[in-house]
């Protein structure tokens, strides 16, 4: 389950696992929390065809169920489970890469109204979010592949400084890329 933060991914993941037969893993790609994911940046972009040995090895461990972490494992987890439900709001920009490496993994992209997401994020200011869309521009591959037509808009919204507008633009980028990649 991927989506943006505050989009309902945890709620929907809990609904999918209402019988608690699956092991839930929550955001294994929080580089600021999970040491094993510290090789990633928040909302990092990785091209679909790009080889990234660290990402591949890390997610092989996650998707196998071998990976364990106190901040990732849901308190609802049982000792016995019949599968995994993994939700990560920081994986949108490399989801296609993972899909190509692990085609057996079923992917869900959850979309919520961007205004509601931005307002919810604004209320959670102490949480770790990307708050400036200008940060995306330091990723040359992302700019070249997807953001070049929107450079002026990204700069304008960033310079204007309205937090809600910036969060909506970030939501747009985080969802635009996987929607285009998965056609």
């Amino acid at each position: 389950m991927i989506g943006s933060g505050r989009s309902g991914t945890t709620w929907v993941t809990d609904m999918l696992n209402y019988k608690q037969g699956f092991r839930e893993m929550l955001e294994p790609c929080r580089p600021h929390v999970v040491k094993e994911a510290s090789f990633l940046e928040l909302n990092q972009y990785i091209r679909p065809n790009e080889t990234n040995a660290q990402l591949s090895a890390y997610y092989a461990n996650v998707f196998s169920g071998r990976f364990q972490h106190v901040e990732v494992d849901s308190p609802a987890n049982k000792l016995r489970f019949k599968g995994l439900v993994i939700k990560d709001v920081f994986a949108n920009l490399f989801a296609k890469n993972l899909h190509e490496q692990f085609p057996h993994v079923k992917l869900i992209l959850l979309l919520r109204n961007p205004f509601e997401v931005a307002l919810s994020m604004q209320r959670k200011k102490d949480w770790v979010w990307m708050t400036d869309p200008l940060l995306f521009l330091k990723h040359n591959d992302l700019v070249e592949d997807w953001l070049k037509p929107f450079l002026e808009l990204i700069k304008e919204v960033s310079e204007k400084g309205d937090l809600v507008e910036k969060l909506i633009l970030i939501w747009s980028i985080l969802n635009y890329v996987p929607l285009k990649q998965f056609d």
Side-chain angles (χ1 to χ4, degrees):
M1 170 81 58
I2 61 172
S4 58
R6 309 306 298 162
S7 65
T9 54
T10 302
W11 181 69
V12 172
T13 299
D14 288 345
M15 283 182 25
L16 290 171
N17 194 24
Y18 74 98
K19 290 184 179 178
Q20 296 188 353
F22 296 95
R23 176 179 167 208
E24 288 183 36
M25 299 176 78
L26 308 175
E27 298 170 349
C29 276
R30 282 181 286 170
H32 55 288
V33 173
V34 180
K35 183 181 88 171
E36 293 85 349
S38 64
F39 65 93
L40 293 168
E41 293 182 34
L42 213 56
N43 300 312
Q44 182 164 341
Y45 177 68
I46 300 174
R47 285 180 164 150
N49 58 356
E50 184 178 323
T51 301
N52 186 308
Q54 279 185 295
L55 184 71
S56 298
Y58 179 63
Y59 262 95
N61 202 25
V62 169
F63 291 149
S64 73
R66 290 186 305 265
F67 181 78
Q68 294 183 347
H69 191 283
V70 67
E71 295 289 330
V72 172
D73 281 305
S74 168
N77 285 339
K78 306 282 186 219
L79 292 175
R80 294 176 31 182
F81 53 87
K82 60 182 174 188
L84 300 172
V85 177
I86 303 166
K87 85 98 177 176
D88 204 323
V89 298
F90 302 110
N92 285 29
L93 299 181
F94 58 82
K96 181 69 170 177
N97 181 289
L98 289 179
H99 177 71
E100 289 182 355
Q101 294 179 66
F102 303 96
H104 64 284
V105 174
K106 293 179 175 92
L107 182 70
I108 298 170
L109 170 62
L110 183 66
L111 298 174
R112 180 183 181 201
N113 179 314
F115 298 101
E116 295 298 328
V117 168
L119 293 174
S120 182
M121 287 179 145
Q122 185 182 38
R123 288 189 293 272
K124 300 285 187 182
K125 290 179 184 172
D126 56 326
W127 290 20
V128 177
W129 311 117
M130 179 183 278
T131 57
D132 191 346
L134 208 56
L135 293 172
F136 286 124
L137 301 186
K138 70 180 183 174
H139 299 282
N140 294 331
D141 291 347
L142 179 61
V143 171
E144 185 65 33
D145 294 352
W146 302 106
L147 301 183
K148 197 178 269 185
F150 309 108
L151 288 177
E152 290 308 311
L153 174 66
I154 292 168
K155 291 174 184 174
E156 180 183 315
V157 169
S158 180
E159 288 171 11
K160 188 175 175 186
D162 182 276
L163 179 60
V164 172
E165 283 186 32
K166 291 194 297 186
L167 291 170
I168 289 171
L169 183 54
I170 290 165
W171 177 96
S172 300
I173 293 167
L174 290 176
N175 290 290
Y176 172 77
V177 172
L179 284 170
K180 294 296 275 186
Q181 287 179 328
F182 285 95
D183 197 28

